[in-house]
Amino acid sequence: MSIDIGIIGLAKSGKTTIFNALTKGKADTRNSAPHIGVAKVPEPRLKVLADMLQPKRVVPAEVSYTDIGASVTGLGVDRGIGSQILNQLSNADALINVVRAFTDESIPHVEGSLDVERDIATINLELALYDTGIIGRRLERIETSLKGAKATERQGLLREQQVLDKLKADLEKEVPIRELRLTADEAKTMANFQFLTAKPLLIVVNIGEEQIPEAASWEEELNSHYSGTKSGIITLCGKLEMELTQLDNDAAKGFRAEFGITEGGLDRVIKLGYQLLDLISFFTIVSDEVKAWSIPKGTTALKAAGKIHSDMERGFIRAEVISYDDMVKCGSLAEAHKKGLLRLEGKSYIVQDGDVITFLFNV
Ligand SMILES: Nc1nc2c(ncn2[C@@H]2O[C@H](COP(=O)(O)OP(=O)(O)OP(=O)(O)O)[C@@H](O)[C@H]2O)c(=O)[nH]1
Ligand SMILES: [Mg+2]
């Protein structure tokens, strides 16, 4: 159950190129079929723990990326996109929209010209139309159900109708669901659907190599228009990043320096995705293996255990927890134990970023 991010965008925007860069993959860009791959989440604290404990295996958390492999235009009218792809989109935890900014005469732009803002608006509209479609169909069904409903059912249906009407009105005003502040009641209704505009959205503006010098200032400008708590925008040269994945780390660093790029573009995409999804890391240290895990902020110890293994969730007894900082001070779990720094926590403990956890369970 890793985090899954769906990559969408107009045709020939660079989706597969960026997918390859993110997953260090070699998917054929000529092939428009869906591709699935994983990327390791950069987590400096994992390295510190590994250096300290010298385990046999060090396992970073992974994010999985799905290159949808098809244009999502037509989403709103329910054609031009297969149900399998729709499923993949609906199940994604977040979306990346790849928008083309690179110029290449030999690869014509689907719209005939380059226009980043237009293309962002096109995809946003498609996502909104899709959600409006879901809402419309549900509202029709509610209408029918209301006719024969008993008083007890009636209340629930009316409340759902009210929430959906509100979401629909917002979507029609071009406000995506991710930007709404929902009441607990509204959020509960929402949880029954997999709205695409409710998912965190990261826009990747795919620039050409010659645009790299202006990338930072352009990004800043785009940020002021497109960034929110659950949305972000980043400029990235997909082609260069994909080529760099073929080199070893030092060589790639050298190349980046030549282009004046300080941080790896892919690390930035992964980190920003992490932020938008509101994820945190926790660590496990078990029999010569140190592992990092990604979970949404606010996850309970019970659910965190389930992330590792369903047996651990089912047979959960308790969790032994120590903060990352205390762990580093102690140098080992044995030492932490001796100093009495391991806390015993129950099922409902909310896991904190950096926690080092040993789950006790029986099956
Ligand atoms: N010059 C240049 N070409 C690029 C860049 N990024 C992608 N391309 C090229 O553009 C073409 C399309 O890129 P893809 O990654 O296949 O784009 P896509 O969105 O997956 O395309 P479809 O799946 O066919 O819709 C390929 O020939 C890429 O090599 C870039 O930054 N600069
Ligand atoms: Mg492709």
Side-chain angles (χ1 to χ4, degrees):
M1 255 225 327
S2 71
I3 302 293
D4 185 67
I5 300 185
I7 302 177
I8 58 173
L10 294 178
K12 301 289 169 225
S13 55
K15 299 182 293 296
T16 306
T17 304
I18 285 177
F19 167 83
N20 278 339
L22 280 166
T23 60
K24 309 206 190 311
K26 295 191 176 63
D28 191 342
T29 54
R30 287 169 303 181
N31 180 345
S32 289
H35 307 287
I36 299 174
V38 295
K40 297 183 179 9
V41 177
E43 170 54 85
R45 289 173 297 185
L46 182 62
K47 188 174 181 315
V48 176
L49 290 176
D51 287 347
M52 189 173 91
L53 301 163
Q54 300 285 323
K56 282 210 182 75
R57 295 211 305 149
V58 181
V59 187
E62 288 182 340
V63 202
S64 116
Y65 290 94
T66 306
D67 171 9
I68 298 302
S71 167
V72 292
T73 52
L75 262 182
V77 286
D78 243 356
R79 65 181 150 76
I81 184 154
S83 57
Q84 196 195 348
I85 289 169
L86 260 186
N87 258 338
Q88 261 158 355
L89 273 181
S90 309
N91 289 328
D93 296 299
L95 298 174
I96 288 182
N97 173 18
V98 177
V99 181
R100 174 164 165 179
F102 69 88
T103 46
D104 190 332
E105 298 291 327
S106 68
I107 307 162
H109 187 289
V110 274
E111 302 282 344
S113 63
L114 271 184
D115 186 337
V116 167
E117 302 200 352
R118 174 201 60 204
D119 292 353
I120 292 174
T122 300
I123 295 290
N124 283 344
L125 182 64
E126 291 290 346
L127 299 177
L129 283 173
Y130 176 75
D131 287 353
T132 314
I134 297 181
I135 293 174
R137 284 189 295 277
R138 179 64 195 147
L139 282 173
E140 271 171 34
R141 247 175 277 137
I142 292 177
E143 201 68 49
T144 315
S145 306
L146 275 173
K147 283 179 190 145
K150 296 194 199 89
T152 44
E153 293 169 333
R154 216 181 151 73
Q155 221 170 25
L157 287 168
L158 285 173
R159 204 165 41 222
E160 187 183 352
Q161 188 179 47
Q162 214 174 26
V163 174
L164 292 178
D165 275 335
K166 181 168 170 281
L167 293 182
K168 190 168 160 225
D170 284 319
L171 283 169
E172 279 160 4
K173 280 182 282 183
E174 290 180 30
V175 181
I177 297 172
R178 81 178 76 81
E179 279 176 24
L180 301 176
R181 286 214 187 167
L182 303 173
T183 63
D185 199 36
E186 289 167 340
K188 217 168 121 196
T189 303
M190 273 264 316
N192 298 320
F193 303 90
Q194 290 171 305
F195 292 122
L196 298 182
T197 68
K199 297 179 190 299
L201 176 71
L202 174 55
I203 300 171
V204 174
V205 178
N206 185 17
I207 59 174
E209 287 179 5
E210 67 291 347
Q211 292 165 299
I212 290 175
E214 299 97 63
S217 61
W218 193 18
E219 192 173 292
E220 208 170 301
E221 191 195 317
L222 288 166
N223 249 308
S224 61
H225 288 101
Y226 294 104
S227 285
T229 46
K230 287 188 187 170
S231 56
I233 192 161
I234 207 165
T235 56
L236 186 80
C237 181
K239 200 163 172 229
L240 174 72
E241 293 293 345
M242 180 170 133
E243 283 159 9
L244 290 181
T245 60
Q246 316 295 331
L247 305 176
D248 66 48
N249 276 343
D250 284 342
K253 233 186 220 163
F255 260 97
R256 282 212 178 85
E258 256 173 63
F259 277 102
I261 308 172
T262 45
E263 192 183 8
L266 305 170
D267 281 2
R268 292 175 59 221
V269 172
I270 296 171
K271 272 194 216 158
L272 197 52
Y274 226 67
Q275 262 171 37
L276 296 180
L277 281 162
D278 224 359
L279 298 176
I280 56 168
S281 303
F282 76 90
F283 306 95
T284 53
I285 303 169
V286 189
S287 61
D288 245 2
E289 185 179 84
V290 177
K291 264 186 169 180
W293 306 85
S294 304
I295 48 169
K297 203 183 270 173
T299 300
T300 59
L302 184 68
K303 288 290 162 208
K307 164 127 191 129
I308 300 173
H309 201 291
S310 53
D311 282 350
M312 274 197 183
E313 184 173 343
R314 224 167 336 117
F316 185 96
I317 301 169
R318 60 177 181 270
E320 284 183 357
V321 184
I322 179 168
S323 72
Y324 167 81
D325 287 337
D326 281 347
M327 182 67 203
V328 171
K329 273 182 220 145
C330 292
S332 73
L333 278 178
E335 185 61 25
H337 196 70
K338 229 192 279 169
K339 291 208 168 106
L341 285 172
L342 291 177
R343 281 175 282 129
L344 292 181
E345 302 284 1
K347 290 179 180 178
S348 57
Y349 170 71
I350 302 293
V351 176
Q352 302 296 306
D353 185 39
D355 276 352
V356 177
I357 307 183
T358 311
F359 291 102
L360 305 175
F361 67 108
N362 64 20
V363 277

